[in-house]
Amino acid sequence: MHIMQDDTEIKIIGIDSKRPPFIRKEPYIDLVFELSVQTTKQWNEDFVGLFKNSEIRPKIDAAKSVFIQTWTRTMDEIPDHLELLKSKVTECNQMAVDRQAALDLLAMSGSESLEGATGPQGQLNAIIAGLKFD
């Protein structure tokens, strides 16, 4: 397992071999899907947030950030459930790419195109330029 380098490389690669699904007396089937790489806290929050208005409430294993924990009521729901999770992983990857692009643009615009601005924009630029990020 390696830590996420490129957000677009995150994929669901299978079921956690240590926690395979079993038929039990409960009316649901627990599923634990494994991700291709360890994710960041921000990626995890974004992913879970994509389900805030959904009946499905997957969780990211906080200890390792490499497992999605979820469940279905029946085994017939598993393929569609997986397709939904895969689409949300892709959406979350794009959110991370877009966030990084916005940060890159902000960094470039603060040092080039907004340099020399006057009035309120100049004040804002000066405040942003003076921020200390340790």
Side-chain angles (χ1 to χ4, degrees):
M1 158 179 40
H2 62 286
I3 294 184
M4 178 173 70
Q5 300 291 321
D6 175 7
D7 298 311
T8 60
E9 71 181 285
I10 299 171
K11 297 177 185 151
I12 296 175
I13 59 171
I15 294 283
D16 181 7
S17 61
K18 295 180 178 152
R19 296 179 279 183
F22 289 104
I23 298 292
R24 303 180 311 187
K25 63 181 178 182
E26 290 86 357
Y28 58 87
I29 300 168
D30 285 323
L31 300 165
V32 182
F33 292 102
E34 185 173 0
L35 296 169
S36 56
V37 295
Q38 185 176 17
T39 58
T40 64
K41 181 180 177 186
Q42 182 64 57
W43 192 96
N44 297 348
E45 289 172 1
D46 289 345
F47 181 77
V48 171
L50 290 174
F51 292 92
K52 68 181 175 192
N53 296 323
S54 173
E55 291 179 12
I56 298 171
R57 300 289 179 153
K59 297 176 183 163
I60 303 284
D61 184 316
K64 295 184 180 178
S65 292
V66 75
F67 297 106
I68 297 173
Q69 300 169 333
T70 187
W71 59 274
T72 61
R73 293 194 193 283
T74 69
M75 64 182 88
D76 295 335
E77 295 175 351
I78 294 172
D80 289 340
H81 194 85
L82 174 59
E83 289 306 312
L84 175 64
L85 291 175
K86 286 170 35 179
S87 73
K88 295 300 185 183
V89 166
T90 299
E91 188 177 342
C92 194
N93 289 343
Q94 189 59 51
M95 290 170 62
V97 168
D98 292 346
R99 180 181 300 107
Q100 188 57 52
L103 290 172
D104 292 347
L105 182 62
L106 180 61
M108 286 187 342
S109 67
S111 62
E112 296 172 7
S113 65
L114 296 179
E115 197 169 333
T118 60
Q121 185 63 54
Q123 289 176 310
L124 175 60
N125 294 353
I127 291 169
I128 298 299
L131 294 176
K132 303 289 184 223
F133 300 99
D134 297 337

